[in-house]
Structure formats: C-alpha cells, structure tokens
Amino acid sequence: MKKNSRILLLGTITLFSMYLYFLSANNIPQKPIQKSISLLNTQQEERLALGYLNQLRIGAGLIPFKFHTILNKASENHANYLIKNHTYGHYEESNKSGFTGKFASNRIVHEGYSVPLIIENVSSNNRNYKESIDGLFAAIYHRFAFLDFQGDEIGISIRQNPLARMQTAFVYNMGSNALNQLYKNKKKPSQEELNQTLDTHKDTNSKFVTYPFNKQKDVPPVFFNEIPDPLPKHDVSGFPISISFNQAHFKNIKLLNFELFDSKGKQINNTLTYDSKTDPNRRLNQFSFVLFPLERLDWNSNYSVKFLAIIDKKLVEKNWSFKTRNYTIPLHTVSNEKKTIEIKVNEENIFYFPPHNPKDLLKNVRYNNDFYMEFIDKNTIKLVALKTSFSTTHIKIGSHDLKLNIND
C-alpha cells in the first residue's frame, strides 16, 4: 500500500502524497435508542452530501468538488462491500464478497482511473449524510482530506442494509482531474510537470483555510475520537480548530500563538496545539495547525480565534469567529441532577449531560417504554414523553439521573 500510494509523488509537499487512509471511530456511534430507523433514499442522500460538502468547502475558500463517474463507481463498490460483509473501514479482503481491491488506490484503478492517487474518507452507521460529514469534519485528519487544496473531483456512495437499517456505509473518494489527465497522457511525467499540475488551483483556492471558517454557524461543539487518535487520553473534547496554508504560496511557517476565546472574550486555556512536529501521529504537514479545546464547547455559543505566526519572515495574524449548533426545540443542560425539569407530553426536548471528565460518555442507556429516545451525540439525547406523570419521574441515563415533571 505504502509503495503504491506514495511512489508517484515522492518528494513533493502535498497532502495527496500522504494518502489519507483513516478510520474515524467517531463515526461508529452507539445505536440510537429509538422505535424505528428510516429507510434512506440513498440517491438523494448522495446528492445532498455533495451539496453540503461543497457548501463547506466554498465557505472555507476552496473550489467545489465535481462529480466523477469512475470515482463514484469505486466508492459504490466499496460501500456495497462494507454492507455485504458487515464491516467498516478502508480495506477489503480478497476472499470476501464484492472485493474490487485491497486499497482505495487499487479500487479506482480497477475502474479505469489513470493514477492510483486517491484520498478516501469512510464513515459507518450514520443516520444521514449530514451526520456523516459533520463527524468526519470533527475528526481532524479526515477534515484535512475534505479540505485538500489539490482535489477537485469526487465520488460519493451511501449504502444501507435494508434488513438492519442502522448499518450504513458512507464512502467518499477524492481525486485530482489534472493529475488524472496528466497520467492518462504521460506515464512518466517530469517533476516540473508534476509540480505544475499540483498547482492547478493555486489561484482559485484561498491562500489559507480555517475551519470552522469565519462566521460559520451550526458548528458541532464536540470531538470524540478518531483512528489514529490525536487525543488518546480523551474520549470527549471540544471541536478542533484548524488552519492550513496553500503550499503553492508559502515556504515556511513558524507558529507563535493559537488561541480560542469564548463569547465574553475570555481565553480558553485548557487546550493543546499541534503542528507537524507535535502531532502524536505525525499526520499533519508543515502547513497545517490544529487547536484542540480539551473540554466540550457550549451549544449555541460564539467563539473567536487568533492565530499568530511568522510566515516567510513576516509576522502574520489571522482572526476569525464561529458559532456552535443551536436547536429550535428546548435544550436542557443537566448540570444539577437534583433539579426537576418541567416538560410537556409529546414534546421533543434535548438533554445535555456535560462530561465530568475526559472519559465521561453516556453508556448503558436503556430504552424506557414511556419515552421515545435517541442520541444526538454521546453526551446528549433527544427525549419525548409519551404520557403524563402525577409525580416526579426518574430516568437513568447511563450513570446520570434525570428528574422530570411531565405535564399535558
């Protein structure tokens, strides 16, 4: 795999040369506790996924992906393989049904793509396209795959097991049209031709990309985990903040400060900053930087970011802001479990249980016939009371105690 995935771009400084094969554990969530799971309209989900992904890329300052038939067929093959074999991830085994190649590079060449150069993102057991893409953007290494400066075409395939509807597969194969055409016309291009091709979108993409991007709304407040794991001591933390620079424009970047502030302008100090040298998995290149808040961000809150660096011998400061996700239905933060919360029967409510430590997730949550429940995330549930109560009702939500008065 490593030989096949790197030989074409050896010596170049591009994200493509890393061949991002990652599996996001964040995207294999606990099963929602719900009465039924909808049957997905997968063709519609694929169209919506492309639109949503391009909305995020454009917001970040990148050109949108164009649909590519061969990449789509390769992603379809792999999604079908995952469903047929009740598995997940990037790799296929030749002795299993639907095998078309061990690695994504093999699978796209199998379908006729000229260059075995691919960035692949995969998630499993998501309920819809938005949950899948949001989860992959929270997983920092997967995020940089979606925000690559050289990629411009994509295939997306979404599959669901009709007999076990919670089992889904979301496969995204991303490539470069310019590279594909270069190797279609010339099997051994020169290093100069290769570098020129990689710079195809030099002036159409922004010089730098932040995520969340400036003034972005509806940002999830949380990161759970990823393989490889950038925060092995944490099962839950805040949504990571990133900035990456277009390598076609810059040569050297030295980070000075990377800071996050809440809505009152108070700096959030419980953070970690990663660059190519401090990233524990050595996945970041010298043009990418990440700030991890080690505690969850708040729902429906404004945050601002300050980045300071010496870039090609010049002092450069970047500032931007974003807002975390809000819900139109009532959202209750259960920080005092002795307090009784008033809700109405048949009304949707969201209950957020702030984690008390880096390992605090909602586990062993049992279904209660008096309620409809499902996970929003691993610290948050949606709940609907199906009948009223004449006294305080206690519900065990994992290790937490939820006290409710349910009125008509």
Side-chain angles (χ1 to χ4, degrees):
M1 170 222 179
K2 291 183 179 178
K3 181 178 179 181
N4 289 337
S5 65
R6 292 178 181 169
I7 191 169
L8 293 172
L9 296 181
L10 189 61
T12 63
I13 50 172
T14 171
L15 182 59
F16 265 121
S17 67
M18 292 173 60
Y19 268 66
L20 294 180
Y21 286 103
F22 301 120
L23 169 64
S24 175
N26 182 46
N27 294 285
I28 309 171
Q30 302 173 51
K31 287 187 177 182
I33 306 170
Q34 54 186 23
K35 290 187 174 180
S36 63
I37 298 172
S38 300
L39 187 64
L40 292 177
N41 180 335
T42 54
Q43 290 185 341
Q44 177 176 295
E45 287 283 307
E46 289 165 0
R47 289 194 298 272
L48 292 172
L50 179 58
Y52 183 51
L53 181 55
N54 279 337
Q55 175 187 329
L56 298 180
R57 277 180 60 89
I58 292 170
L62 297 172
I63 61 170
F65 284 129
K66 292 183 179 180
F67 173 86
H68 192 275
T69 303
I70 292 177
L71 294 179
N72 194 70
K73 180 59 178 174
S75 65
E76 179 182 313
N77 290 341
H78 188 51
N80 286 332
Y81 170 92
L82 297 177
I83 294 297
K84 285 180 181 179
N85 295 288
H86 304 281
T87 188
Y88 55 85
H90 297 276
Y91 310 113
E92 295 186 6
E93 298 179 32
S94 59
N95 61 342
K96 291 187 176 180
S97 176
F99 174 84
T100 54
K102 184 175 181 180
F103 307 115
S105 55
N106 305 130
R107 297 191 288 270
I108 63 169
V109 170
H110 172 81
E111 290 300 328
Y113 207 64
S114 298
V115 54
L117 185 57
I118 191 70
I119 296 177
E120 180 181 77
N121 269 346
V122 177
S123 71
S124 297
N125 298 350
N126 297 119
R127 290 170 291 185
N128 53 58
Y129 74 93
K130 191 171 184 181
E131 184 179 275
S132 168
I133 292 173
D134 282 349
L136 289 165
F137 266 96
I140 190 64
Y141 304 128
H142 293 72
R143 175 191 300 178
F144 284 125
F146 277 150
L147 297 180
D148 179 72
F149 287 94
Q150 281 78 39
D152 59 7
E153 55 191 17
I154 193 170
I156 301 174
S157 186
I158 299 172
R159 291 293 180 267
Q160 181 182 38
N161 186 338
L163 302 179
R165 294 182 181 181
M166 186 56 208
Q167 186 198 0
T168 58
F170 294 72
V171 180
Y172 310 84
N173 282 337
M174 294 158 279
S176 163
N177 180 264
L179 276 176
N180 188 37
Q181 294 302 317
L182 176 66
Y183 279 88
K184 182 181 291 186
N185 299 325
K186 203 168 193 178
K187 296 302 179 184
K188 293 183 178 181
S190 67
Q191 189 67 46
E192 182 180 357
E193 290 173 316
L194 183 58
N195 289 336
Q196 289 176 348
T197 301
L198 291 171
D199 286 347
T200 298
H201 302 299
K202 173 183 177 180
D203 297 320
T204 50
N205 281 328
S206 295
K207 291 185 177 181
F208 69 95
V209 165
T210 67
Y211 202 90
F213 52 80
N214 190 34
K215 300 183 185 295
Q216 184 174 353
K217 298 180 180 179
D218 196 43
V219 176
V222 64
F223 165 67
F224 290 107
N225 41 48
E226 181 177 16
I227 298 176
D229 195 345
L231 294 177
K233 295 181 180 180
H234 291 71
D235 288 338
V236 55
S237 59
F239 193 81
I241 319 301
S242 66
I243 184 168
S244 54
F245 292 84
N246 190 334
Q247 301 167 19
H249 290 275
F250 305 102
K251 294 182 179 179
N252 185 267
I253 302 173
K254 182 181 179 181
L255 173 65
L256 298 178
N257 284 310
F258 202 171
E259 299 169 327
L260 179 65
F261 302 86
D262 65 17
S263 58
K264 297 180 180 180
K266 182 179 179 181
Q267 184 175 349
I268 297 172
N269 292 313
N270 190 15
T271 63
L272 279 179
T273 302
Y274 286 165
D275 58 18
S276 60
K277 295 179 180 178
T278 57
D279 172 19
N281 300 297
R282 297 295 189 267
R283 300 286 182 171
L284 300 182
N285 63 28
Q286 66 189 89
F287 298 92
S288 300
F289 305 87
V290 181
L291 174 70
F292 279 99
L294 296 181
E295 296 179 5
R296 281 186 63 131
L297 304 183
D298 293 328
W299 296 100
N300 190 30
S301 296
N302 292 299
Y303 291 90
S304 58
V305 187
K306 178 180 178 180
F307 177 88
L308 189 66
I310 297 175
I311 302 178
D312 295 336
K313 299 182 180 181
K314 294 182 180 180
L315 183 64
V316 176
E317 180 177 321
K318 302 294 182 183
N319 297 277
W320 69 98
S321 61
F322 63 92
K323 186 175 184 179
T324 54
R325 180 162 294 165
N326 187 27
Y327 287 93
T328 56
I329 62 179
L331 191 156
H332 309 273
T333 298
V334 188
S335 53
N336 180 2
E337 296 184 20
K338 295 181 179 180
K339 180 181 178 181
T340 301
I341 299 174
E342 303 276 343
I343 66 171
K344 292 182 179 180
V345 69
N346 296 323
E347 178 183 76
E348 290 184 331
N349 284 266
I350 293 175
F351 296 90
Y352 165 53
F353 301 85
H356 299 305
N357 59 66
K359 299 288 184 179
D360 187 8
L361 306 178
L362 296 180
K363 298 178 180 178
N364 302 318
V365 181
R366 296 183 179 182
Y367 180 74
N368 184 319
N369 288 326
D370 294 335
F371 298 90
Y372 167 92
M373 291 189 289
E374 66 177 79
F375 279 101
I376 298 296
D377 63 42
K378 296 177 184 179
N379 300 115
T380 314
I381 64 166
K382 181 192 292 184
L383 181 146
V384 179
L386 302 178
K387 65 180 184 179
T388 57
S389 64
F390 298 100
S391 61
T392 301
T393 299
H394 295 258
I395 307 175
K396 294 297 291 183
I397 307 295
S399 61
H400 300 271
D401 185 29
L402 180 61
K403 299 172 67 175
L404 300 173
N405 275 346
I406 306 163
N407 304 308
D408 289 329

